[in-house]
Amino acid sequence: MLMEGFTRTEIKTSGARIVTVCGGNGPPVLLLHGNPFTHLSWHKFAPRLTQEFTVVATDLRGYGDSEKVPGGDDHSGYSFRAMALDQVEVMAHLGFGKFMAAGHDRGARVLHRMCLDHPEKVERAAILDIIPQHYLYSHINKEWATFSWHWFFNIQPFDMPERMMGADPDWFIERKLAKTKQGLSFFGKEALAEYKRCFRNPQTIHAVCEDYRAGASIDLVHDEADMKVGRKIECPLALLWGATGGVGRNHNPGPAEIWKNYAANIVGAKALPCGHYLSEEAPEETYVELRNFFKASGKLS
């Protein structure tokens, strides 16, 4: 059974109905998944974290079984600002005014925005395998554009990418996720089946596109406003990335150096022996790093 010991509920925020699972006791930790996943992307070690923490994992708006809200003409319905507010309201509903958090991929971008918009809420943040999008769109190179082609595909106007992904969603998911020689071997079969089930929903595919369209428009407006006033992540920040993934291979300077322009208190930065999908490819290493970071008052182990 995936996510054993967790209780599933649906929490209505001011903007969307958010699928939420919660388990354990101790300081609260929020886990935010990436594209094209659900809360199950944490299933390999989230139950272990519940031995020391109260663990909350959600489906981001538009993803999994969470509500698919309208994006709007400016796509702001899927901005990281809107997604971050969902998560803050979920945690408040559960009684947590302050919490620690980890985010991977799109979830890491939600967490980045959350740290800027709600600094009083996030006590410690772990960012998994991303470079800030403000930097990426300002420093496009051939290696990144080739490896992360879907960034440019998903932002095309409605409904071209929706039709193309929707024509054979299972094939698309398998092709997108199997970027390395390992293929799909490290994904749990039950979790992968759930990712496919959710992605077969045309509304999910549209929400994914709206997420990326927002990332290339309204989110950049928000980012630029922060850069102009020098706003950075202030809470203790841990950076983790896959040594063989796009973040680890396609950027010079490396992620730790890039993030110095966006975060004031980086307490740990480490490449793990995997590609992009840290929690699925290297669950033990990811668990150890997150557990130690959330337990520690200083450096990442």
Side-chain angles (χ1 to χ4, degrees):
M1 179 181 177
L2 300 183
M3 305 295 279
E4 186 172 0
F6 284 76
T7 300
R8 176 175 170 135
T9 187
E10 296 186 2
I11 295 173
K12 180 65 177 177
T13 73
S14 60
R17 174 185 48 77
I18 302 297
V19 168
T20 305
V21 299
C22 183
N25 292 287
V29 169
L30 173 64
L31 302 178
L32 301 174
H33 68 84
N35 170 53
F37 304 122
T38 73
H39 68 275
L40 290 179
S41 67
W42 306 100
H43 76 96
K44 289 186 177 181
F45 59 78
R48 292 176 67 187
L49 286 174
T50 63
Q51 297 171 15
E52 298 176 280
F53 307 98
T54 299
V55 178
V56 179
T58 63
D59 291 352
L60 298 175
R61 67 162 62 187
Y63 288 82
D65 289 320
S66 285
E67 187 175 2
K68 282 69 177 164
V69 301
D73 291 341
D74 63 352
H75 315 295
S76 60
Y78 288 91
S79 67
F80 295 129
R81 175 160 287 166
M83 290 187 178
L85 182 59
D86 282 339
Q87 303 304 315
V88 168
E89 292 182 357
V90 163
M91 295 303 279
H93 180 89
L94 295 173
F96 304 124
K98 293 184 178 181
F99 50 89
M100 299 177 287
H104 171 251
D105 188 80
R106 306 307 283 183
R109 301 186 188 285
V110 173
L111 180 53
H112 183 185
R113 174 48 53 192
M114 189 188 302
C115 290
L116 298 174
D117 286 0
H118 309 277
E120 75 286 359
K121 302 293 184 181
V122 186
E123 295 183 315
R124 297 171 76 80
I127 297 286
L128 276 59
D129 211 66
I130 67 164
I131 301 294
Q133 67 178 24
H134 174 272
Y135 180 91
L136 288 174
Y137 276 122
S138 302
H139 297 80
I140 296 174
N141 61 51
K142 178 183 176 182
E143 290 75 18
W144 175 61
T146 302
F147 189 82
S148 298
W149 56 269
H150 62 285
W151 278 57
F152 305 96
F153 173 69
N154 289 351
I155 67 176
Q156 296 307 307
F158 176 82
D159 62 348
M160 186 189 78
E162 284 92 342
R163 281 178 176 264
M164 294 177 73
M165 286 188 279
D168 193 344
D170 283 11
W171 176 87
F172 183 85
I173 285 286
E174 291 181 0
R175 188 63 179 265
K176 181 180 182 299
L177 298 183
K179 288 185 175 181
T180 68
K181 293 180 180 179
Q182 293 172 279
L184 302 172
S185 63
F186 50 77
F187 288 104
K189 291 184 179 180
E190 289 181 72
L192 184 59
E194 274 294 281
Y195 304 152
K196 289 181 178 180
R197 177 187 68 81
C198 293
F199 200 73
R200 291 179 195 128
N201 182 347
Q203 291 183 312
T204 300
I205 294 175
H206 177 57
V208 168
C209 292
E210 287 294 282
D211 172 11
Y212 281 82
R213 289 168 181 143
S217 56
I218 187 65
D219 286 324
L220 289 179
V221 173
H222 298 158
D223 292 342
E224 195 60 38
D226 289 326
M227 294 298 290
K228 284 183 178 179
V229 299
R231 187 176 293 117
K232 297 182 178 182
I233 296 176
E234 298 292 340
C235 71
L237 179 69
L239 300 173
L240 297 173
W241 65 91
T244 60
V247 170
R249 294 188 293 107
N250 293 333
H251 302 283
N252 185 22
E257 194 65 26
I258 292 170
W259 271 100
K260 288 180 181 178
N261 294 316
Y262 299 87
N265 190 13
I266 300 173
V267 299
K270 189 171 184 178
L272 300 186
C274 61
H276 178 54
Y277 306 109
L278 279 68
S279 63
E280 309 253 17
E281 293 183 60
E284 181 62 27
E285 294 87 347
T286 306
Y287 163 76
V288 169
E289 297 300 333
L290 291 182
R291 183 262 179 192
N292 289 345
F293 172 64
F294 290 139
K295 290 288 287 186
S297 59
K299 294 182 179 180
L300 193 69
S301 65

